[in-house]
Amino acid sequence: MDAREVSLQALYACYKQGGWSDGVLKKQLAQHGADRRDAALATQLCFGVLQNQMLLDFYLSRFSNIPLKRMEEKVVQALRLGAYQLLFLDKIPQSAAVNSSVELAKRHCKNPRAAGMVNGILRALVRSLDDLPTVPQRDPTSYLSILYSHPEWMVKEFLLAIGTGETSKLLAANNSQPPMSVMVNTTKITAQELRDKLEEAEVEARLHPWLNDCLLLARTGNLEELDAFQKGLFYVQDPASRLAVLAAGPISGMRVLDCCAAPGGKSFAAAIAMENCGQVISCDLHPHKKKLIQAGADRLGLDIITPQTADGKVFHPEWERAFDLVLVDAPCSGLGVIRKKPDIRYKDPAPLEGLPEIQLAILSNAARYVRPGGTLLYSTCTLLRRENEEVIGTFLTRDSSFQKEPFVLPDPVGAAPEGMITLWPHRHDTDGFFICKLRKGEDSL
């Protein structure tokens, strides 16, 4: 089974389960024994189709007499795979892109006429590649929505926040491929030593341009099979998450609570910053995540981490005023990680409206665990003000014992004089991320 076959099956599975996950593709790759080259192409095809789905559908609909929504789902996915290759991948011959989609339709689609329809639509697209239909530009929201394949409600949110020019850059960044970033376990090895070790294993590794103890990797193959991974010399984490921990400022000997910890990256970063001296309690609502965090801590040799199953909204009296630092990486809409999870953009926005209430409940509960003079760090991986600044504003009107505290992060991010900052993919080449640092008064009762 080649990369296109794997991609079709993965995209269809994504459609059936209502969302994308890397596990879907990994399962297909393992099931069909795809080699490294096919795995790389399958990944590129899946992400490319999801990142450009609305634009692909715009073009395909111009060459089809039948609306896409009336077609069998596997026919639509075969068309999208072909169109993506024709429009975005110049190293794949046009005939190969068309023929492979036709073969996919023959093998997987119920309608015996599907293959002929796929052939006709894609060949019509080929004939028009030098004179493609123009995306209407009358309305900037609609234009950007189609051009960058983001729903209109989301484009409107970004336009209000950062304007037309920056919104275009943000949406383009969301459709880019971020580098693989890993954090060095400095309790075991230095960044340069890890880089040398990875390059000996034929992994491309370079030092992050502005974040210490971070490497950017390429040509990793199966990351978990690397000797350096198995020995706990690094863990995968986006720079934005690491910056949140830097803002919080954990030091050796602290007692830290990570309220929404899974998969454990912030707990690992805090424990490493603390030189594995002190205590980190890592909580998550789901019991199976406890095992995930424990496995990561064991691999990294971070024995100060204690995973626990706990609901962030439920008060634990034994933790009241007991922690120097409490981390709250609240559940959110995830609009800051679209470049890594491209299907997030297609989710129904209605259920997201209740998130601020949940976030505020978790933050308010976590605040009770901070000792007088201690730090409360609130973060999300979204870019919506109602889940970020507005949650903080409401919290501070209800709890006067906390104040926002300024912090400084490495350039080009720099200072946050008001105690909070938003990281943007197109500005900082990180996940979209919100960070707010709060300090509890020494005389708080």
Side-chain angles (χ1 to χ4, degrees):
M1 182 176 287
D2 69 6
R4 297 169 185 84
E5 184 104 16
V6 170
S7 302
L8 178 75
Q9 299 284 33
L11 288 167
Y12 183 67
C14 166
Y15 162 77
K16 292 286 285 184
Q17 70 178 24
W20 175 261
S21 73
D22 290 340
V24 169
L25 181 57
K26 287 179 180 178
K27 182 179 179 180
Q28 291 294 329
L29 292 170
Q31 185 176 342
H32 300 292
D35 60 22
R36 187 168 180 170
R37 183 176 177 181
D38 274 347
L41 178 57
T43 301
Q44 183 178 21
L45 291 175
C46 287
F47 273 70
V49 166
L50 290 168
Q51 288 169 338
N52 298 281
Q53 182 173 303
M54 295 172 68
L55 182 61
L56 296 174
D57 289 357
F58 170 81
Y59 288 128
L60 288 168
S61 65
R62 297 303 184 273
F63 299 103
S64 175
N65 294 324
I66 301 174
L68 297 184
K69 64 183 178 181
R70 286 177 51 195
M71 295 181 187
E72 183 183 344
E73 181 61 25
K74 285 189 177 180
V75 174
V76 176
Q77 297 298 357
L79 283 168
R80 288 171 177 164
L81 282 166
Y84 174 72
Q85 293 171 80
L86 291 170
L87 294 167
F88 291 94
L89 302 184
D90 53 11
K91 292 183 179 180
I92 294 180
Q94 295 173 359
S95 58
V98 174
N99 293 338
S100 63
S101 285
V102 171
E103 287 302 312
L104 289 174
K106 284 181 181 178
R107 288 197 295 270
H108 296 285
C109 298
K110 297 175 183 178
N111 189 336
R113 300 173 60 185
M117 181 172 62
V118 168
N119 183 62
I121 294 171
L122 292 181
R123 291 200 180 279
L125 175 59
V126 168
R127 292 192 294 272
S128 300
L129 285 176
D130 293 329
D131 188 25
L132 288 168
T134 302
V135 178
Q137 300 187 37
R138 295 183 298 273
D139 171 28
T141 301
S142 175
Y143 173 68
L144 292 174
S145 173
I146 295 171
L147 188 63
Y148 294 108
S149 295
H150 287 65
E152 290 192 9
W153 73 266
M154 194 179 297
V155 175
K156 288 178 182 177
E157 292 275 4
F158 294 147
L159 286 171
L160 287 171
I162 55 178
T164 304
E166 277 216 88
T167 295
S168 296
K169 293 177 181 177
L170 169 63
L171 302 182
N174 281 348
N175 287 350
S176 67
Q177 183 175 354
M180 167 71 75
S181 58
V182 301
M183 302 301 155
V184 183
N185 183 358
T186 54
T187 67
K188 292 188 173 185
I189 197 169
T190 68
Q192 187 58 56
E193 288 169 344
L194 177 58
R195 182 187 180 190
D196 293 343
K197 188 173 183 65
L198 289 170
E199 290 189 336
E200 287 176 7
E202 300 183 348
V203 174
E204 293 180 15
R206 57 190 175 94
L207 300 175
H208 191 280
W210 48 266
L211 182 58
N212 290 338
D213 300 322
C214 174
L215 297 180
L216 302 177
L217 308 185
R219 300 180 62 83
T220 61
N222 186 338
L223 199 71
E224 295 179 2
E225 291 181 358
L226 293 173
D227 180 68
F229 180 88
Q230 294 176 358
K231 290 182 176 178
L233 304 185
F234 68 89
Y235 65 98
V236 177
Q237 186 179 44
D238 189 84
S241 295
R242 169 75 178 285
L243 290 172
V245 178
L246 283 179
I251 59 174
S252 179
M254 271 189 172
R255 192 172 190 220
V256 177
L257 176 65
D258 189 353
C259 290
C260 307
K266 291 183 183 63
S267 291
F268 303 154
I272 291 170
M274 295 159 63
E275 299 177 322
N276 201 32
C277 180
Q279 183 183 29
V280 178
I281 296 179
S282 303
C283 299
D284 196 83
L285 176 62
H286 305 287
H288 70 278
K289 298 291 182 67
K290 177 180 175 180
K291 294 181 180 179
L292 179 67
I293 297 169
Q294 187 65 66
D298 290 344
R299 181 179 62 82
L300 294 164
L302 301 173
D303 55 19
I304 67 169
I305 295 176
T306 303
Q308 292 196 19
T309 301
D311 185 336
K313 302 187 296 297
V314 177
F315 179 59
H316 289 253
E318 69 274 18
W319 290 348
E320 188 171 17
R321 300 161 61 92
F323 292 92
D324 304 293
L325 168 62
V326 175
L327 304 172
V328 179
D329 187 25
C332 68
S333 55
L335 302 191
V337 295
I338 287 176
R339 61 180 187 165
K340 292 177 179 173
K341 298 180 179 180
D343 70 299
I344 285 176
R345 71 189 79 187
Y346 304 120
K347 288 186 175 181
D348 180 1
L352 305 181
E353 295 176 3
L355 283 171
E357 182 179 349
I358 296 170
Q359 292 155 346
L360 183 60
I362 293 173
L363 181 61
S364 299
N365 186 51
R368 302 173 69 180
Y369 303 143
V370 182
R371 67 161 178 81
T375 300
L376 176 61
L377 195 288
Y378 178 80
S379 64
T380 71
C381 58
T382 193
L383 299 168
L384 299 180
R385 287 186 60 87
R386 62 176 174 268
E387 298 182 50
N388 296 335
E389 290 92 340
E390 291 180 16
V391 168
I392 292 298
T394 302
F395 169 74
L396 291 176
T397 61
R398 297 180 181 181
D399 192 335
S400 60
S401 65
F402 283 88
Q403 298 291 327
K404 289 182 288 186
E405 181 170 272
F407 57 89
V408 179
L409 295 173
D411 288 332
V413 180
E418 296 183 1
M420 54 186 181
I421 197 166
T422 299
L423 305 173
W424 297 84
H426 66 291
R427 293 179 188 172
H428 306 110
D429 195 23
T430 67
D431 287 345
F433 217 82
F434 176 76
I435 303 169
C436 180
K437 185 177 184 179
L438 302 165
R439 178 74 64 183
K440 190 170 187 176
E442 291 280 1
D443 56 353
S444 301
L445 297 178

